[in-house]
């Protein structure tokens, strides 16, 4: 019912398109592929991707305001309406078998005539002393997950992106005080969110500052800045961008940039025939759910075109 | 549209797809409000299931003791042999609806994606308890819940999953010093903080022996 109707999962079948990933990009790609009458399967480790951890989404056309989880529920309903199978699993290797690819996970293997890599990205780590030691003991990478632990407490967010601003606004609903600590002169959130941050009395921004250490006994107690000053906090939320999940692509020779993003053209094609990529894992300069969705849709169309051109029966 | 309406509709839309009968046990404690909170949600599941889902309310302390139920209310998936497979110390609402329904359908006998690999490895797996600590705003928690419940069902209870809402049971989270979710603990030893995949959990179940 939820992940997959196992009766419809045919492991002997060669799927027209297997989409790797579980976020909006992957689902949009699969929805369009299904509408192009392709046999499509999604294999993802995390349904919803990073957007599911966003408190409020207010920039998706047609939806004035919803939560990240709410948006993904709508995606899931859409996916289910087309009977698109989704499996929680992770592809570890891909081999080229001539006319098709074989994708191996720990649990199963799948055959695909084409692949769309939409594996997104994961939170970047700071790499400072105390970060790993206090992971789960005051250091967090997900405000919506861990916010409830900090009611009436003092927290800081490290980072100055739009995501950092949104996390600050979310946390400010319940904590006593939120500090945004940013290494540059001014946070670079969308103007609409920046305004909300500046107007929120619980949020204070500390600019031109780097955190160099997270300190505590059993749990986080304070952070130390590069100017030698310290700030007492109960929680540290790290929001300094993300790293593309491109290992599987690199392993099969898909070209990536210096940032490890998969290099795609305007048709979402990679350097390998039959392998497409889209969303946060690819090298687009502006990464949003809506742009990932668009790239996913283009990837589906390109896969459809590819299957026609190479005369692979679909 | 109010969220409660959306979630209730989701339960109704999904539970109607149930094709085989299922029985769940609801162990109730002394807190009437807590009991009613979970009971009212389970009633939506029950009423939407074409009479295929039955909720058996248990308030007999001896039965609770037999299953070592100390925290209430608790929802238990108990198989025909009387063996507990899954325990919910959480209200299956909001983001937890889909994994809960998925567990119900798999428990009813629907195919299980992980079954063949669990069966292949069952001899290498010791009796294990996987606790998954969650909050209802955690986006990653439903993913972990989904596969650990399927592990439990595939192993016929050799692996038991326990889903714990730490906001409802702060004493449990404090005893494990949890301040981040999802927080997955295998046999009260190995912990995974944050998202963990089915392969890593299974490797731990196999390799940890």
């Amino acid at each position: 019912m939820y992940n997959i109707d196992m009766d419809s999962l045919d492991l002997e079948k060669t799927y027209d398109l297997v989409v790797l990933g579980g976020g909006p990009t992957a689902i949009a790609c699969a929805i369009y592929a299904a509408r192009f009458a392709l046999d499509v399967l999604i294999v993802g480790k995390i349904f919803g991707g990073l957007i599911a951890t966003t408190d409020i989404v207010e920039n998706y056309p047609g939806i004035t305001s919803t939560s990240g989880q709410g948006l993904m529920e709508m995606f899931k309903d859409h996916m289910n309406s087309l009977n698109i199978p989704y499996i929680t699993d992770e592809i570890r290797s891909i081999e080229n078998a001539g006319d098709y690819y074989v994708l191996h996970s720990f649990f199963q293997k799948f055959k695909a005539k084409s692949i769309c890599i939409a594996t997104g990205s994961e939170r970047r780590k700071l790499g400072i002393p105390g970060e790993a030691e206090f992971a789960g003991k005051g250091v967090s990478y997900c405000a919506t997950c861990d916010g409830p632990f900090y009611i009436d407490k003092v927290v800081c967010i490290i980072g100055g992106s739009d995501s950092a601003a949104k996390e600050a606004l979310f946390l400010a609903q319940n904590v006593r005080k939120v500090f945004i600590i940013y290494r540059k002169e001014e946070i670079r959130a969308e103007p609409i969110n920046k305004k909300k941050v500046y107007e929120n009395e619980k949020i204070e921004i500390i600019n031109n500052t780097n955190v160099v250490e997270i300190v505590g006994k059993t749990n986080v107690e304070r952070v130390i800045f590069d100017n030698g000053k310290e700030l007492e906090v109960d929680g540290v939320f790290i929001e300094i961008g993300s790293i593309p999940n491109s290992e599987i692509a690199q392993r099969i020779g898909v070209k990536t940039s210096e940032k490890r993003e998969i290099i795609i053209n305007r048709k979402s094609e990679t350097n390998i025939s039959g392998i497409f990529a889209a969303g946060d894992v690819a090298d687009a300069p502006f990464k949003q759910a809506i742009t990932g969705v668009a790239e996913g849709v283009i990837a589906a169309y390109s896969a459809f075109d590819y299957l026609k051109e190479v005369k692979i029966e679909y | 549209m109010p969220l409660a309406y959306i979630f209730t509709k989701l339960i109704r839309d999904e539970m109607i797809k149930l094709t085989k009968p299922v029985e769940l046990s609801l162990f109730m404690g002394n807190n009437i409000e807590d009991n009613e909170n979970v009971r009212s949600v389970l009633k939506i599941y029950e009423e939407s299931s074409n009479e295929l889902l039955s909720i058996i309310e248990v308030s007999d302390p001896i039965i609770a003791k037999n299953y070592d139920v100390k925290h209430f209310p608790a929802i238990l998936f108990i198989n025909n042999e009387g063996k507990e497979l899954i325990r919910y110390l959480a209200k299956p609402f909001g983001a937890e609806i889909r994994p809960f329904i998925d567990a119900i359908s798999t428990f009813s006998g629907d195919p299980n994606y992980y079954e063949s690999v669990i069966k292949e490895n069952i001899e290498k797996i010791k009796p294990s308890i996987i606790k998954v600590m969650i909050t209802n705003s955690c986006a990653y928690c439903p993913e972990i819940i989904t596969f650990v419940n399927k592990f439990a069902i595939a192993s016929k209870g050799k692996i038991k999953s326990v889903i714990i809402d730490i906001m409802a049971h702060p004493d449990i989270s404090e005893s494990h010093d949890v301040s981040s979710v999802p927080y997955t603990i295998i046999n009260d030893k190995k912990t995974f903080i944050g998202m963990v995949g089915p392969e890593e959990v299974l490797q731990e179940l196999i390799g940890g022996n």
Side-chain angles (χ1 to χ4, degrees):
Chain A
M1 278 186 190
Y2 167 57
N3 264 1
I4 188 162
D5 176 358
M6 287 292 293
D7 293 329
S8 70
L9 179 66
D10 181 356
L11 294 171
E12 295 307 311
K13 177 162 65 178
T14 304
Y15 284 89
D16 294 321
L17 176 66
V18 171
V19 184
L20 308 186
T25 303
I27 296 161
C29 178
I31 286 171
Y32 266 73
R35 292 177 63 85
F36 289 137
L38 301 184
D39 256 333
V40 61
L41 168 74
I42 311 177
V43 183
K45 187 174 176 184
I46 304 171
F47 186 85
L50 282 184
I51 188 89
T53 65
T54 304
D55 175 38
I56 296 176
V57 179
E58 293 177 322
N59 55 5
Y60 203 94
I63 300 162
T64 311
S65 181
T66 187
S67 65
Q69 283 191 39
L71 181 66
M72 291 318 299
E73 282 298 325
M74 289 184 242
F75 272 69
K76 183 163 266 174
D77 277 346
H78 200 159
M79 192 178 93
N80 288 349
S81 74
L82 292 163
N83 293 319
I84 298 168
Y86 175 89
I87 293 169
T88 301
D89 204 346
E90 193 171 11
I91 298 301
R92 292 296 188 193
S93 65
I94 299 172
E95 63 178 290
N96 189 336
D99 283 349
Y100 59 91
Y101 295 97
V102 183
L103 299 88
H104 299 264
S105 84
F106 185 76
F107 295 92
Q108 299 289 355
K109 66 177 178 184
F110 310 95
K111 288 184 276 189
K113 295 169 193 165
S114 64
I115 298 168
C116 177
I117 302 172
T119 41
S121 58
E122 61 184 41
R123 305 275 192 216
R124 187 185 293 278
K125 305 269 196 304
L126 258 178
I128 59 172
E131 183 184 17
E133 184 187 346
F134 293 109
K137 296 181 188 316
V139 171
S140 172
Y141 302 87
C142 177
T144 50
C145 301
D146 299 335
F149 292 103
Y150 297 96
I151 294 167
D152 291 329
K153 294 186 176 176
V154 177
V155 299
C156 70
I157 292 171
I158 302 175
S161 64
D162 192 53
S163 298
K166 285 200 282 192
E167 295 217 336
L169 291 165
F170 171 72
L171 289 166
Q173 293 170 35
N174 292 308
V175 301
R176 184 149 44 93
K177 181 85 181 171
V178 184
F179 291 94
I180 296 178
I181 303 164
Y182 187 44
R183 64 196 164 95
K184 291 189 176 173
E185 183 64 35
E186 192 174 3
I187 60 166
R188 51 191 173 84
E190 275 182 27
I192 193 167
N193 289 326
K194 193 191 282 188
K195 185 168 180 281
K196 285 181 191 171
V197 164
Y198 285 146
E199 288 172 355
N200 193 310
E201 291 178 353
K202 283 190 186 174
I203 302 174
E204 184 177 331
I205 302 172
I206 301 173
N207 285 324
N208 299 312
T209 302
N210 286 297
V211 173
V212 294
E213 189 174 354
I214 299 165
V215 184
K217 290 189 186 86
T218 52
N219 289 75
V220 167
E221 292 175 3
R222 64 191 190 280
V223 291
I224 300 174
F225 299 146
D226 53 358
N227 57 15
K229 289 182 181 170
E230 297 187 2
L231 178 71
E232 286 188 12
V233 291
D234 301 296
V236 177
F237 289 82
I238 298 171
E239 184 55 68
I240 54 164
S242 51
I243 302 169
N245 289 319
S246 58
E247 295 86 353
I248 188 74
Q250 289 173 320
R251 245 180 270 154
I252 54 170
V254 169
K255 278 190 186 159
T256 55
S257 67
E258 282 179 3
K259 292 181 187 170
R260 291 165 47 184
E261 294 166 329
I262 297 174
I263 298 168
I264 57 169
N265 61 18
R266 291 196 67 178
K267 291 162 105 180
S268 289
E269 292 169 325
T270 68
N271 60 305
I272 297 183
S273 179
I275 298 187
F276 307 87
D280 284 4
V281 75
D283 63 344
F286 187 55
K287 295 178 194 291
Q288 295 282 294
I290 188 81
T291 57
V293 162
E295 284 170 16
V297 168
I298 293 166
Y301 181 71
S302 296
F304 173 69
D305 236 13
Y306 163 79
L307 294 170
K308 264 194 316 191
E309 276 175 27
V310 297
K311 294 192 172 50
I312 295 177
E313 193 181 320
Y314 62 88
Chain B
M1 205 178 286
L3 271 179
Y5 172 82
I6 293 169
F7 290 140
T8 303
K9 183 176 179 302
L10 175 61
I11 296 172
R12 294 203 168 114
D13 290 348
E14 291 297 312
M15 283 304 291
I16 203 157
K17 298 175 191 167
L18 194 67
T19 56
K20 303 176 199 94
V22 178
E23 199 176 277
L24 301 183
S25 302
L26 172 61
F27 286 71
M28 295 187 294
N30 296 326
N31 188 317
I32 294 166
E33 195 182 334
D34 285 352
N35 291 339
E36 191 47 41
N37 206 358
V38 173
R39 180 197 271 144
S40 62
V41 168
L42 288 178
K43 203 169 175 59
I44 304 170
Y45 286 88
E46 198 173 26
E47 287 173 351
S48 312
S49 71
N50 282 332
E51 298 184 351
L52 287 170
L53 174 67
S54 309
I55 305 296
I56 311 299
E57 295 187 3
V58 183
S59 36
D60 183 341
I62 296 168
I63 303 175
K65 197 177 174 191
N66 286 345
Y67 282 99
D68 197 26
V69 179
K70 291 171 185 159
H71 290 83
F72 303 92
I75 306 163
L76 269 63
F77 291 60
I78 299 169
N79 70 10
N80 291 337
E81 294 154 15
K83 193 157 190 177
E84 178 188 348
L85 310 181
I86 299 168
R87 179 178 303 201
Y88 264 77
L89 301 178
K91 185 170 75 169
F93 207 60
E96 311 314 325
I97 292 171
R98 287 190 193 272
F100 188 69
I101 293 175
D102 199 36
I104 291 172
S105 82
T106 311
F107 185 53
S108 79
D110 283 351
N112 182 341
Y113 177 72
Y114 306 104
E115 187 172 11
S116 59
V117 175
I118 293 289
K119 279 186 173 168
E120 278 168 29
N121 290 285
I122 199 72
E123 293 304 321
K124 299 181 201 161
I125 299 170
K126 272 189 194 166
S128 298
I129 297 176
I130 307 175
K131 294 178 186 167
V132 186
M133 312 262 185
I134 64 165
T135 62
N136 62 12
S137 61
C138 162
Y140 299 141
C141 297
E143 296 299 304
I144 300 177
I145 294 169
T146 300
F147 72 78
V148 298
N149 284 347
K150 285 180 188 248
F151 281 12
I153 294 165
S155 72
K156 295 187 165 55
K158 192 167 185 183
I159 302 164
K160 191 169 99 178
S161 64
V162 183
I163 315 304
I164 303 160
D165 177 350
I166 56 171
M167 293 296 129
H169 298 281
D171 54 321
I172 301 177
S173 72
E174 279 164 23
S175 70
H176 290 281
D177 198 19
V178 177
S179 62
S180 189
V181 288
Y183 193 97
T184 307
I185 312 172
I186 300 175
N187 295 329
D188 282 332
K189 282 194 288 194
K190 174 70 182 178
T191 59
F192 294 99
I193 300 165
M195 184 58 199
V196 59
E199 179 183 339
E200 291 153 285
V201 171
L202 183 58
Q203 294 280 23
E204 183 59 33
L205 291 167
I206 295 168
N209 291 292

